[in-house]
């Protein structure tokens, strides 16, 4: 296989596709050349993006095709941007638009955007007439290294993260790393947190990059970003192929997420970025690992010191959460996390780089981790 593509295979026969083909593109994003809206195609495309992505200069040639009514049988819907729009209402807007435009289950939904757009577009495709095809053009670092890979879809509900969803992978993904250069700093930093997580879990070389090359990473040097993206794709692909529906090792990908999702809920969904919350959650997970005797204090400090390089919060309680009884409030939300299979909270904890434990832990230990630094 060439360096410009990557394939993930799925054994499940009930999906719309048995593999995801990730295509690594170069240069300025050119969606017109890939999708050719308005030309005769074997299937219709229902494109979904958000207002922020639609306004990017590189997107204007593509968007103008629809404004000038040169899109043939293809359709485009532009939604609001960010976590506040990761709702069942947005999912149903996509479904409604496809129904009104007489799309069939043999057509394809194409999500062009970050993790929110990828998640809700794929979820809409999964429920539209019992399953249509889906493709992605991820435009954020977070989507490229994590959210677009592996078939997790869904939306937030009742102020809880990703409470409704399905496993439903995209058949084709088009990665233009150039999109990353247009990201605001908080969104770029958010994606870095998911890549950092991948290094802790599966790739010593990737972790070393974060530890030793922070200046190059933070300056968005293209060469090092390409390395980070491809390493994350390779690591996640291996795990997804082994455990698509998260019955075993795929749960390791939730490192930092049980704490992080609770942070997002308590702060108000969209008030902090997903990566900001996950990074803080990684700090709490390694502190819990130390409390339980799984890792040395030197390892805990190594993780926290590396996090400081990227301005990720390492305090025991995040500064964005106000009011009293914060620890108890965190516990309440963490117990509702969708990943829990019993009355106890399951936490992913690093013992060392590439040495991970998944365990149901006591409330008292979680409370200690929200006090210890």
């Amino acid at each position: 296989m060439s360096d410009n593509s990557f394939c993930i295979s799925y054994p499940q026969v009930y999906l719309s596709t048995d593999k995801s083909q990730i295509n690594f593109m170069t240069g300025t994003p050119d969606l017109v050349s890939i999708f050719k809206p308005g030309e005769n195609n074997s299937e219709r495309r229902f494109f979904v993006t958000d207002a922020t992505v639609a306004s990017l200069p590189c997107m204007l040639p593509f968007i103008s095709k629809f404004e000038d009514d040169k899109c043939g049988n293809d359709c485009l819907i532009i939604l609001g941007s960010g976590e506040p729009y990761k709702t069942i209402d947005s999912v149903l807007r996509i479904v409604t638009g496809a129904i009104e435009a007489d799309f069939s289950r043999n057509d394809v939904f194409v999500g062009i955007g970050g993790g929110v757009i990828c998640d809700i577009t794929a979820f809409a495709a999964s429920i539209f007439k019992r399953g249509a095809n889906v493709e992605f053009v991820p435009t954020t670092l977070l989507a490229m290294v994590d959210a677009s890979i592996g078939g997790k879809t869904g939306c937030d509900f009742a102020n809880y993260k990703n409470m409704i969803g399905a496993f439903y992978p995209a058949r084709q993904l088009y990665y233009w790393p150039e999109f990353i250069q247009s990201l605001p700093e908080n969104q770029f930093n958010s994606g870095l947190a998911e890549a950092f997580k991948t290094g802790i879990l599966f790739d010593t070389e990737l972790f070393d990059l974060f530890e030793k090359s922070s200046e190059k990473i933070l300056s968005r040097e293209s060469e090092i970003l390409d390395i980070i993206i491809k390493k994350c794709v390779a690591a996640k692909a291996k795990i997804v192929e082994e455990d698509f529906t998260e019955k075993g090792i795929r749960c390791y990908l939730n490192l930092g997420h049980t704490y992080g999702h609770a942070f997002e809920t308590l702060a108000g969904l969209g008030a902090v970025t997903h990566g900001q919350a996950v990074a803080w959650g990684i700090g709490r997970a390694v502190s819990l690992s130390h409390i339980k005797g799984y890792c040395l204090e030197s390892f805990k400090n190594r993780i926290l010191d590396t996090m400081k390089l990227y301005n990720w919060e390492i305090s025991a309680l995040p500064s964005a959460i106000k009011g009293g009884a914060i620890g108890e409030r965190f516990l309440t939300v963490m117990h509702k996390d969708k990943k829990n299979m019993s009355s106890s909270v399951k936490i992913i904890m690093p013992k060392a780089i590439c040495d991970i434990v998944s365990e149901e832990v006591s409330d008292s230990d979680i409370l200690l981790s929200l006090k210890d630094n």
Side-chain angles (χ1 to χ4, degrees):
M1 184 173 294
S2 75
D3 290 339
N4 293 319
S5 65
F6 201 98
C7 187
I8 307 172
S9 298
Y10 310 105
Q12 285 74 14
V13 297
Y14 61 85
L15 302 174
S16 65
T17 184
D18 62 355
K19 65 181 179 181
S20 291
Q21 186 74 34
I22 299 177
N23 305 286
F24 296 103
M25 319 299 288
T26 59
T28 301
D30 182 6
L31 276 67
V32 173
S33 68
I34 295 297
F35 294 107
K36 299 178 174 60
E39 297 186 11
N40 292 326
N41 296 290
S42 58
E43 58 190 2
R44 300 175 66 194
R45 283 79 56 84
F46 195 91
F47 296 98
V48 183
T49 191
D50 65 34
T52 298
V53 174
S55 67
L56 295 175
C58 65
M59 288 291 296
L60 295 182
F62 180 79
I63 300 297
S64 66
K65 290 286 187 180
F66 297 87
E67 294 173 344
D68 297 337
D69 198 25
K70 297 177 182 177
C71 57
N73 288 324
D74 295 331
C75 294
L76 170 70
I77 184 172
I78 300 175
L79 302 174
S81 304
E83 195 75 25
Y85 293 91
K86 192 177 184 181
T87 65
I88 192 64
D89 289 338
S90 293
V91 173
L92 295 179
R93 277 193 64 189
I94 298 168
V95 171
T96 300
I99 291 173
E100 292 177 346
D102 293 325
F103 272 63
S104 78
R105 65 184 300 176
N106 295 321
D107 296 320
V108 59
F109 291 60
V110 183
I112 308 166
V116 170
I117 288 295
C118 291
D119 279 7
I120 63 175
T121 301
F123 186 36
S126 75
I127 62 175
F128 178 75
K129 299 184 177 180
R130 299 199 174 113
N133 297 306
V134 63
E135 298 183 354
F136 292 146
V137 180
T139 62
T140 66
L141 180 59
L142 187 147
M144 293 180 194
V145 301
D146 186 70
S148 67
I149 309 168
K152 282 188 176 181
T153 80
C155 62
D156 305 333
F157 189 73
N159 203 38
Y160 291 101
K161 284 282 292 185
N162 301 327
M163 273 294 154
I164 305 175
F167 289 96
Y168 202 76
R171 66 180 186 185
Q172 292 279 351
L173 301 92
Y174 300 92
Y175 278 35
W176 273 283
E178 188 65 26
F179 272 120
I180 296 170
Q181 302 302 328
S182 66
L183 290 176
E185 191 60 33
N186 67 331
Q187 292 299 325
F188 174 65
N189 189 270
S190 179
L192 288 180
E194 287 284 4
F196 178 66
K197 174 202 77 175
T198 303
I200 295 172
L201 292 172
F202 306 122
D203 193 321
T204 300
E205 290 182 358
L206 180 56
F207 181 82
D208 287 345
L209 280 179
F210 274 93
E211 189 175 40
K212 300 172 182 176
S213 302
S214 60
E215 290 186 6
K216 291 182 178 181
I217 292 172
L218 291 172
S219 63
R220 309 192 195 190
E221 289 191 9
S222 297
E223 183 177 346
I224 202 164
L225 291 181
D226 286 349
I227 293 171
I228 289 171
I229 292 168
K230 289 181 178 180
K231 278 184 167 293
C232 287
V233 169
K236 188 162 184 181
K238 182 177 184 297
I239 296 303
V240 167
E241 287 187 334
E242 182 176 337
D243 180 25
F244 179 66
T245 55
E246 201 172 298
K247 304 298 185 186
I249 194 172
R250 185 170 179 172
C251 74
Y252 288 177
L253 294 169
N254 294 316
L255 173 63
H257 282 63
T258 303
Y259 285 101
H261 285 168
F263 182 4
E264 290 180 86
T265 292
L266 291 175
L269 295 180
V272 297
T273 67
H274 177 66
Q276 179 184 350
V278 166
W280 173 81
I282 290 171
R284 294 307 88 215
V286 74
S287 291
L288 180 60
S289 181
H290 179 248
I291 288 167
K292 294 182 68 64
Y294 291 141
C295 76
L296 298 173
E297 184 173 14
S298 59
F299 175 73
K300 181 187 79 167
N301 290 336
R302 184 184 178 195
I303 297 293
L304 297 179
D305 287 344
T306 305
M307 290 175 60
K308 292 177 186 176
L309 299 174
Y310 301 89
N311 293 316
W312 291 321
E313 189 163 11
I314 64 169
S315 57
L317 290 171
S319 57
I321 307 299
K322 308 298 182 182
I326 295 177
E328 288 73 15
R329 287 155 59 195
F330 262 99
L331 264 181
T332 297
V333 178
M334 290 169 76
H335 273 281
K336 294 182 182 295
D337 192 279
K338 65 185 182 304
K339 296 179 289 295
N340 295 328
M341 298 300 170
S342 71
S343 59
S344 298
V345 178
K346 177 185 279 190
I347 302 292
I348 311 303
M349 293 168 283
K351 300 164 70 175
I353 303 302
C354 302
D355 186 3
I356 311 299
V357 61
S358 171
E359 185 177 289
E360 292 184 344
V361 298
S362 68
D363 289 359
S364 59
D365 281 344
I366 291 174
L367 288 173
L368 282 176
S369 73
L370 296 172
K371 298 175 182 177
D372 173 75
N373 210 34

